[in-house]
Amino acid sequence: MLQLSVLKEQTAQVLAGLAKRNYKTAEVDVQAILTLDQRRRALQTQHDQAQSEANELARQIGGLMKSGDRAGADALKIRTAELKTQIRAHSDELTAVEKGQTELLYKLPNIPHESVPPGRSANDNEVVREGGSKPELPAGSLPHWDLIKKYDIIDFELGIKITGAGFPVYKGQGARLQRALVNFFLDEARDAGYTEIQPPILVNEASGYGTGQLPDKEGQMYHDAADNLYLIPTSEVPITNLYRDEIIPVERLPVRNTGYTPCFRREAGSWGADVRGLNRLHQFDKVEIVQITQPDNSYAAHADMVAHVERLLQKLELPYRVLRLCGGDMGFTSALTYDLEVWSAAQGRWLEVSSVSNFETFQANRLKCRYRAEGGKTQLLHTLNGSALALPRIVAALLENNQSPEGIRLPAALHSYCGFEKIG
RNA sequence: AGAGAGGUGGCAGAGUGGUCGAAUGCGACGGUUUCGAAAACCGUUAUACCGGCAACGGUAUCGGGGGUUCGAAUCCCCCCCUCUCUACCA
């Protein structure tokens, strides 16, 4: 959620930012919020004044009652009754105005960072750099959904039987590779200074609102109605919500956390040609890195996180590229997002394996995640997160890119983690 | 899941209708003292919103919501959570 103060003080920049996102009703929405804000403040003032008078009268009545002057007390109660209905009316309208204002504020996406290119879709994203080199596949090479059958390492049919489509069963070397990747990613993150967290994978409603999954993306999460809990779509949700309603001592900043969790996404209605095999799943594994920093440091932290993810891809010997997302393709809550994609040789396409975002104060505002700035004033922090990394598409690329008649060669970095050097 | 107890400031812990944002203790911060430190003493010690250039003033907040009352941390109702015992269980 954008800060009201920013909307008021930097209206022009906000409008320009919303335009970069192709947000249609920016002028109208922003104006409506500012109008409601004037009304809100007027009401607040009136309400507080009436309340103040009522409090004073209550004190006087108390004194009169004590001295036995019942008639005097009753006389004051006439005014008190008046004030009471007045206060009620003010506070009712105040509640309504605040609700309207918050609803409008919830609709507004984050303002893009100045480096974000304009654009409407994924086609307008900017390729920042590429790394590694694409392999030449021998004739008869297979896409990963055939390779997993050939080596019997991932079974979709079994998953369908026991759960449903999009819930694969990893077997044998396939299962061990999952475990190896998780450990590899966690160790790398720890070596980079991140603290490992193992959070709950069900979260309550307040957490969903805190990181922005609610109210807009309700349908994308699995919901346990009996207890009103949500299965997390990413460990960003619990790990960032750890700091909800906190004023973090400066000496504990920046917060740098990592965590492995399974992630659950309903992705309703998004099945099609591009989602075969491991490309898109309802349940998958991911290691996440999260940082919470002071405002001045967040873009340096963001660059650090991108560099960390790049290092992982280099160690995995996968060809990759780094994209700066355009205004039209960025997530609702993000101010700057770099996507990292790996080349999936048999499919002949790039697959997104990480998304590293700086949310600036957008999440922190909802989370009420603050620190005490110089001079003692509380100030919102910046939150950031990135995948480091999501497993399924990494596995798809490893399988496809490294296939040969002798089996699937694994990068050296994984040998000790797997306990084997090739699949098959 | 059943029975009971309870949720108060950074922590501990008073407070059962009136000036209580809340005693007291601890911790933290500033000062006096000291060569320095400890101890001692003095002072400060929440968050949010409204008004104000500011100093400052006002309002709200004692798990959450509603109610009674001129007035609620205190009384009533609903919900959430924690603890103890029992049941169950990795």
Side-chain angles (χ1 to χ4, degrees):
Chain A
M1 176 165 62
L2 289 173
Q3 294 178 80
L4 195 57
S5 57
V6 173
L7 231 64
K8 275 154 65 175
E9 287 153 27
Q10 301 168 41
T11 312
Q13 290 96 312
V14 168
L15 289 175
L18 292 174
K20 208 186 223 178
R21 279 192 176 263
N22 315 307
Y23 185 88
K24 300 280 188 316
T25 54
E27 299 257 358
V28 177
D29 287 354
V30 170
Q31 196 44 250
I33 291 169
L34 295 179
T35 304
L36 282 174
D37 189 54
Q38 281 182 357
R39 182 70 191 142
R40 191 192 106 250
R41 278 151 56 210
L43 282 167
Q44 181 81 57
T45 304
Q46 289 170 30
H47 172 271
D48 285 359
Q49 280 168 358
Q51 186 63 254
S52 178
E53 188 183 342
N55 287 345
E56 174 55 30
L57 287 174
R59 269 188 287 271
Q60 289 178 20
I61 291 170
L64 292 169
M65 297 288 265
K66 218 168 246 172
S67 64
D69 184 356
R70 189 165 290 263
D74 286 343
L76 292 184
K77 285 188 192 180
I78 297 167
R79 175 62 181 154
T80 285
E82 264 173 43
L83 286 168
K84 207 173 175 179
T85 54
Q86 226 178 79
I87 289 165
R88 170 53 66 109
H90 283 142
S91 89
D92 282 353
E93 191 183 346
L94 198 56
T95 306
V97 167
E98 277 171 351
K99 183 161 174 270
Q101 192 179 32
T102 305
E103 274 169 12
L104 280 172
L105 225 35
Y106 270 157
K107 277 177 59 185
L108 297 180
N110 203 354
I111 301 305
H113 183 255
E114 58 184 6
S115 70
V116 170
R120 306 209 146 263
S121 72
N123 298 326
D124 302 317
N125 293 336
E126 185 183 314
V127 179
V128 178
R129 59 183 167 272
E130 297 197 19
S133 53
K134 298 179 182 175
E136 298 292 329
L137 289 191
S141 292
L142 300 172
H144 70 267
W145 48 83
D146 290 330
L147 291 168
I148 60 173
K149 280 188 182 149
K150 179 174 172 185
Y151 296 108
D152 194 25
I153 50 174
I154 302 177
D155 194 322
F156 281 97
E157 283 70 29
L158 274 179
I160 288 168
K161 180 170 90 172
I162 61 168
T163 304
F167 292 90
V169 174
Y170 301 85
K171 297 158 64 176
Q173 285 187 306
R176 290 170 71 189
L177 178 58
Q178 292 292 113
R179 186 154 55 86
L181 284 166
V182 167
N183 283 334
F184 170 63
F185 293 147
L186 285 173
D187 285 352
E188 291 289 319
R190 186 201 53 210
D191 290 347
Y194 292 88
T195 302
E196 185 173 338
I197 302 285
Q198 200 174 106
I201 59 177
L202 283 156
V203 294
N204 58 29
E205 210 173 2
S207 296
Y209 277 95
T211 33
Q213 280 71 29
L214 296 175
D216 331 305
K217 299 173 204 148
E218 184 131 30
Q220 291 181 26
M221 288 190 289
Y222 288 95
H223 181 224
D224 165 29
D227 295 300
N228 197 23
L229 296 172
Y230 294 86
L231 273 167
I232 57 171
T234 159
S235 37
E236 161 199 351
V237 178
I239 293 178
T240 307
N241 269 283
L242 256 25
Y243 303 91
R244 170 153 50 84
D245 294 320
E246 296 286 338
I247 298 173
I248 305 177
V250 173
E251 60 271 18
R252 278 176 47 206
L253 294 171
V255 169
R256 292 159 66 90
N257 285 337
T258 186
Y260 152 72
T261 66
C263 302
F264 303 88
R265 300 194 180 172
R266 294 186 65 230
E267 309 276 15
S270 67
W271 295 93
D274 285 346
V275 298
R276 284 192 70 175
L278 296 168
N279 290 345
R280 182 167 291 160
L281 301 169
H282 284 313
Q283 177 179 336
F284 64 97
D285 292 305
K286 182 158 65 70
V287 172
E288 187 82 357
I289 49 177
V290 169
Q291 290 211 39
I292 299 177
T293 74
Q294 288 175 254
D296 287 348
N297 306 333
S298 70
Y299 281 94
H302 185 258
D304 261 13
M305 291 166 78
V306 172
H308 175 72
V309 177
E310 262 184 277
R311 254 189 324 273
L312 295 178
L313 295 173
Q314 286 158 5
K315 288 189 180 180
L316 291 175
E317 300 167 33
L318 289 170
Y320 69 91
R321 62 178 190 178
V322 181
L323 301 176
R324 179 157 40 212
L325 297 196
C326 72
D329 199 32
M330 264 197 326
F332 185 83
T333 52
S334 177
L336 178 67
T337 298
Y338 280 37
D339 272 6
L340 288 97
E341 299 183 330
V342 297
W343 180 250
S344 188
Q347 294 187 75
R349 53 190 287 242
W350 293 100
L351 298 178
E352 179 192 332
V353 291
S354 176
S355 194
V356 183
S357 298
N358 185 351
F359 305 99
E360 297 194 358
T361 59
F362 197 86
Q363 287 183 331
N365 193 21
R366 284 199 200 179
L367 289 163
K368 293 189 176 57
C369 176
R370 295 153 294 167
Y371 75 110
R372 208 170 293 284
E374 306 257 340
K377 271 196 127 34
T378 59
Q379 199 170 315
L380 293 174
L381 288 158
H382 283 192
T383 61
L384 307 93
N385 68 52
S387 344
L389 281 160
L391 299 221
R393 294 173 187 166
I394 291 289
V395 170
L398 285 174
L399 296 177
E400 293 184 9
N401 295 13
N402 300 329
Q403 59 184 306
S404 76
E406 292 76 44
I408 291 161
R409 177 189 66 80
L410 292 173
L414 292 180
H415 291 176
S416 63
Y417 284 100
C418 285
F420 51 86
E421 299 186 2
K422 70 180 182 69
I423 291 171

